[in-house]
């Protein structure tokens, strides 16, 4: 989201950045809880395999990722993109409605209040806070939504996995979210879940609840 036109960052470069930063923390002996949201789930999933605390401890190394927390985030399997999930539910016709794509494939949300935040939840916010938040939603590389995972998904690692469902989400519908959790569970992972009655941005509309959930998850 550096606003370069045409976009010069994508899933690979975003993943490299996140892995580099996470690696610097774990090599310093830090224990990390990773909170991922929306496209951030695709980045974290692509970037972080092999950095879990358990995997590092098995090598006699300190530090590592202890928790992977997906908050209305993509948790896809190997070789799958975000739009693969959209296609799975036969919703590809909704893409040009939800996002305005330019010729260089950069995009913006067409209806940030209604589609991203959720009109019901947006109307409960302070008007100035809402305007400021919407103004912070910048143009980004829409091609990232079509790019598949290149690496082993982080959720296959030995970390605790959690998923925060957003029940009123129009951008990443709860059916998508639950299907991803079901897949991880089918692959032998234990996923602890919690539900929030909100749209795609619970960090804005349910801030205290998100903080409380993260504290609860990471205290285990």
């Amino acid at each position: 989201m550096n606003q370069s036109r045409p976009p010069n960052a994508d899933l690979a470069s975003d993943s490299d950045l996140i892995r580099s930063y996470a690696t610097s923390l774990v090599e310093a002996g830090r224990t990390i809880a990773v909170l991922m949201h929306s496209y951030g789930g695709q980045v974290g999933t692509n970037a972080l395999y092999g950095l879990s605390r358990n995997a590092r401890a098995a090598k006699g190394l300190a530090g590592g990722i202890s928790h992977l927390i997906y908050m209305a985030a993509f948790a896809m399997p190997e070789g799958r993109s975000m739009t693969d999930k959209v296609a799975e539910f036969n919703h590809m016709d909704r893409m040009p409605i939800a996002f305005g794509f330019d010729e260089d494939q950069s995009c913006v949300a067409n209806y940030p209040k209604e589609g991203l935040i959720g009109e019901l939840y947006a109307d409960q916010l302070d008007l100035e806070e809402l305007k400021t938040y919407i103004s912070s939603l910048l143009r980004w590389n829409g091609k990232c939504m079509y790019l598949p995972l290149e690496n082993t998904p982080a959720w296959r690692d030995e970390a605790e996995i959690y998923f925060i469902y957003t029940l009123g989400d129009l951008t990443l519908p709860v059916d998508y979210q639950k299907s991803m959790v079901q897949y991880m569970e089918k692959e032998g992972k234990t996923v602890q879940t919690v539900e929030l009655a909100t749209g795609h941005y619970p960090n804005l509309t349910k801030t205290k609840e998100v903080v409380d959930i993260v504290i609860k998850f990471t205290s285990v």
Side-chain angles (χ1 to χ4, degrees):
M1 298 182 67
N2 59 14
Q3 301 301 285
S4 177
R5 302 288 301 274
N8 59 7
D10 59 15
L11 177 61
S13 59
D14 292 342
S15 299
D16 287 345
L17 175 64
I18 292 302
R19 186 172 184 88
S20 175
Y21 183 63
T23 298
S24 71
L25 294 176
V26 301
E27 289 185 347
R30 303 291 292 274
T31 297
I32 307 171
V34 181
L35 177 62
M36 297 166 281
H37 174 247
S38 197
Y39 166 67
Q42 187 78 343
V43 175
T45 299
N46 195 51
L48 299 174
Y49 181 80
L51 296 180
S52 74
R53 182 168 58 181
N54 288 343
R56 287 178 56 81
K59 300 176 183 177
L61 301 172
I65 294 171
S66 56
H67 301 73
L68 295 172
I69 305 171
Y70 290 88
M71 180 175 70
F74 282 88
M76 297 298 288
E78 291 87 340
R80 301 295 299 277
S81 70
M82 293 164 58
T83 51
D84 284 332
K85 181 57 64 178
V86 180
E88 178 184 326
F89 283 82
N90 297 314
H91 290 162
M92 287 300 290
D93 58 328
R94 300 182 184 183
M95 290 292 291
I97 298 173
F99 300 100
F101 287 85
D102 211 337
E103 291 182 357
D104 61 4
Q105 294 303 300
S106 64
C107 73
V108 292
N110 283 330
Y111 306 101
K113 178 181 177 182
E114 299 83 358
L116 290 179
I117 299 169
E119 195 161 15
L120 172 65
Y121 314 107
D123 288 343
Q124 299 171 8
L125 298 172
D126 175 80
L127 182 58
E128 289 305 312
E129 181 182 22
L130 176 63
K131 289 180 179 179
T132 299
Y133 197 87
I134 289 176
S135 70
S136 73
L137 302 175
L138 304 176
R139 179 172 292 275
W140 66 295
N141 186 359
K143 289 185 290 186
C144 292
M145 291 186 276
Y146 295 83
L147 295 176
L149 295 181
E150 300 173 332
N151 304 312
T152 302
W155 54 260
R156 291 199 185 277
D157 215 339
E158 300 177 62
E160 299 291 330
I161 305 173
Y162 302 84
F163 204 108
I164 301 173
Y165 292 134
T166 45
L167 302 182
D169 200 326
L170 298 180
T171 300
L172 184 57
V174 70
D175 287 346
Y176 294 19
Q177 299 173 43
K178 290 186 175 181
S179 74
M180 291 184 283
V181 169
Q182 288 165 2
Y183 184 87
M184 289 188 283
E185 291 176 334
K186 187 182 72 173
E187 293 293 296
K189 307 303 290 188
T190 298
V191 184
Q192 297 189 49
T193 64
V194 67
E195 298 179 349
L196 286 177
T198 192
H200 192 56
Y201 282 98
N203 52 303
L204 173 67
T205 56
K206 294 287 185 181
T207 308
K208 181 181 184 304
E209 290 85 346
V210 169
V211 171
D212 290 343
I213 288 167
V214 171
I215 290 173
K216 179 181 178 180
F217 283 167
T218 54
S219 66
V220 177

